[in-house]
Amino acid sequence: MARIVMKFGGTSMAGIERILHVAARVRREADAGNEVLVVVSAMAGETDRLVQLCREAAALHDPREYDVVVASGEQVTAGLLAMTLQNLGVQARSFMGWQLLQASGTHGNARVEAVESRLLDEALGSGTVAVIPGFQGVSPNGRIATLGRGGSDTSAVAIAAGVRADRCDIYTDVDGVYTTDPRVVPRARKLEQVTFEEMLELAGVGSKVLQVRSVGLAMREGLPLRVLSAFEDKPGTEIVERLDEGMERNAIAGIAADRNEARVTLTGIADRPGTVAAAINPLAEAGISVDMIVHAATPNRGASDLTFTVPRASLAQAVAALENWRGDIGYDGLLTDDQVAKVSIVGVGIRSNPQLAARMFDTLAERRINLQAVTASEIKVSALIAEDELELAVRVLHTAFGLDAPAGAAG
Ligand code: ASP
Ligand code: MG
């Protein structure tokens, strides 16, 4: 017998027929003698609809009332799933976020503080399946708080940690985590295992399988996750602390692509202490996050260039800040480019094998793809390139690192 959390996303909850399918899956786990908690999302599209209603009601609305509105989608699916389970002869009941999950911080994007597990323990102890709406909790002053878009994943992980579950299974409309976006590379392969660190890098650059915060939380709690298809019975991807020993996995877990950045280059900045800080500080103050930063001084030249990237949506704001502080920073030219993209190789193997970075650069050079900036961390090497070369870059790197699925064996 195990204690398991099953989380179902919006597509799996969209309509009574699908909820019935979910209920059958939940029953199977309960019939096998497991203690089962189910965390659900609102029906697909419902939260978007509710957000839109808030905008129409009042452009500048009270975030506490926004939370009252948008949390309702999960209340509906939790109740519907509980009654569907009962109808199948499974003892089940729903709970609401305010009974279980304390959250703090900004309304609309609150953080989980604590999970009140007593009610859940009681339910499980009496053989009842607990159905829990994701995305919602209660603020310190007793108001409904939501955890940010995609927050049901974080609810599931927090609940699983709070009740010391053996497993947290995330059922979604994709069947696992892939080596890259299968829409770009049809021969992308499903990963059997990926580490938390790798997942954070892959999720941080656009793989929308899980809310990034849920991965960070699972990592801190040491709680292994599985991503599984809600529609098909096949093995998904395990997200783990460390890859199983003897696990024959590629050193590179995947290739990440990111089109959300723009490049800024300051030319001719003075070669003395404090100039980089002078350039970056105004951006930090404006709340603009700076990602890749490349700076190198050429000895005896007296001046150097500084290149970095900012979110594309913040480029105009960044330029305004840099122009405003030009006197303090001291630079000759300010160049920008928003037709750039970032391609990264991600894998725990990078830590021990410097040849992987070299292979990346060789592969891109063979295709005459120019590198505008390069950054590296322990498990990731990123290159900034022209946006119109991104798909080609992803494809050739995917092949070069041996990630392509064998012909005819997609997935
Ligand atoms: N329903 C919420 C959203 O769409 C939370 C979730 O599904 O994870 O963002
Ligand atoms: Mg989601």
Side-chain angles (χ1 to χ4, degrees):
M1 188 191 82
R3 180 172 278 201
I4 57 183
V5 170
M6 306 171 80
K7 187 260 166 176
F8 289 91
T11 329
S12 352
M13 299 303 291
I16 299 303
E17 206 174 305
R18 294 196 182 168
I19 292 177
L20 190 56
H21 178 81
V22 166
R25 256 196 128 122
V26 171
R27 178 170 69 174
R28 214 163 60 194
E29 297 287 6
D31 284 352
N34 296 307
E35 292 182 338
V36 185
L37 305 101
V38 192
V39 176
V40 295
S41 282
M43 295 192 194
E46 178 63 5
T47 310
D48 287 342
R49 189 181 74 85
L50 296 169
V51 169
Q52 186 54 33
L53 286 177
C54 293
R55 286 198 187 121
E56 285 169 25
L60 282 176
H61 43 254
D62 181 343
R64 292 163 299 193
E65 303 306 343
Y66 164 94
D67 276 349
V68 170
V69 175
V70 298
S72 67
E74 273 77 5
Q75 172 163 343
V76 171
T77 47
L80 288 173
L81 178 59
M83 60 177 82
T84 308
L85 283 164
Q86 290 168 354
N87 213 21
L88 293 182
V90 180
Q91 203 171 299
R93 64 154 288 188
S94 65
F95 293 87
M96 288 291 105
W98 59 264
Q99 296 171 296
L100 305 174
L101 203 139
Q102 289 164 35
S104 71
T106 333
H107 273 274
N109 197 20
R111 280 187 318 272
V112 178
E113 284 301 333
V115 170
E116 178 57 67
S117 61
R118 193 181 49 82
L119 285 172
L120 296 173
D121 283 330
E122 270 172 30
L124 297 172
S126 68
T128 301
V129 170
V131 184
I132 300 154
F135 189 45
Q136 53 169 265
V138 61
S139 75
N141 50 10
R143 309 276 321 245
I144 295 180
T146 63
L147 306 179
R149 298 304 307 271
S152 294
D153 296 329
T154 300
S155 305
V157 172
I159 298 277
V163 302
R164 298 181 203 292
D166 298 293
R167 253 180 27 225
C168 181
D169 293 341
I170 312 274
Y171 291 88
T172 171
D173 53 1
V174 295
D175 60 0
V177 180
Y178 277 71
T179 49
T180 197
D181 186 344
R183 284 166 307 184
V184 177
V185 182
R187 285 173 74 180
R189 205 165 9 173
K190 188 165 71 192
L191 291 159
E192 263 175 73
Q193 280 194 334
V194 62
T195 68
F196 289 122
E197 287 178 300
E198 290 171 334
M199 188 63 198
L200 281 174
E201 295 292 2
L202 292 170
V205 284
S207 119
K208 291 206 195 71
V209 183
L210 290 177
Q211 194 192 36
V212 179
R213 281 162 64 192
S214 72
V215 181
L217 183 59
M219 177 157 128
R220 285 194 298 281
E221 297 286 346
L223 179 83
L225 304 178
R226 290 197 304 173
V227 174
L228 301 156
S229 164
F231 303 107
E232 288 170 289
D233 249 321
K234 40 181 195 183
T237 301
E238 287 182 331
I239 308 172
V240 294
E241 176 94 54
R242 223 167 268 111
L243 300 176
D244 282 352
E245 248 169 87
M247 160 102 188
E248 280 287 329
R249 212 208 62 189
N250 216 288
I252 298 299
I255 312 293
D258 184 2
R259 294 178 191 270
N260 294 321
E261 296 192 25
R263 180 174 60 81
V264 177
T265 299
L266 298 178
T267 63
I269 64 171
D271 208 0
R272 59 174 158 71
T275 50
V276 174
I280 301 298
N281 285 344
L283 302 176
E285 234 135 80
I288 301 170
S289 54
V290 175
D291 180 29
M292 306 175 88
I293 305 183
V294 181
H295 175 250
T298 311
N300 305 324
R301 193 180 134 209
S304 60
D305 300 337
L306 173 67
T307 289
F308 52 85
T309 60
V310 294
R312 223 177 251 188
S314 311
L315 179 61
Q317 207 194 343
V319 168
L322 292 165
E323 279 171 351
N324 196 25
W325 291 90
R326 182 168 189 161
D328 293 70
I329 306 166
Y331 55 82
D332 287 342
L334 168 58
L335 310 169
T336 64
D337 186 352
D338 64 358
Q339 306 292 301
V340 292
K342 186 170 75 170
V343 63
S344 312
I345 59 171
V346 174
V348 286
I350 294 171
R351 206 171 255 150
S352 53
N353 188 351
Q355 274 158 6
L356 296 171
R359 191 191 303 170
M360 173 179 183
F361 304 141
D362 281 341
T363 305
L364 296 174
E366 267 164 36
R367 292 303 178 126
R368 314 216 135 275
I369 294 172
N370 194 41
L371 311 185
Q372 304 182 20
V374 171
T375 55
S377 73
E378 280 211 299
I379 65 158
K380 180 171 84 163
V381 184
S382 303
L384 194 69
I385 61 177
E387 184 177 11
D388 58 10
E389 294 177 325
L390 180 63
E391 291 198 2
L392 173 65
V394 171
R395 255 185 282 122
V396 296
L397 290 171
H398 199 265
T399 304
F401 286 100
L403 298 171
D404 291 350

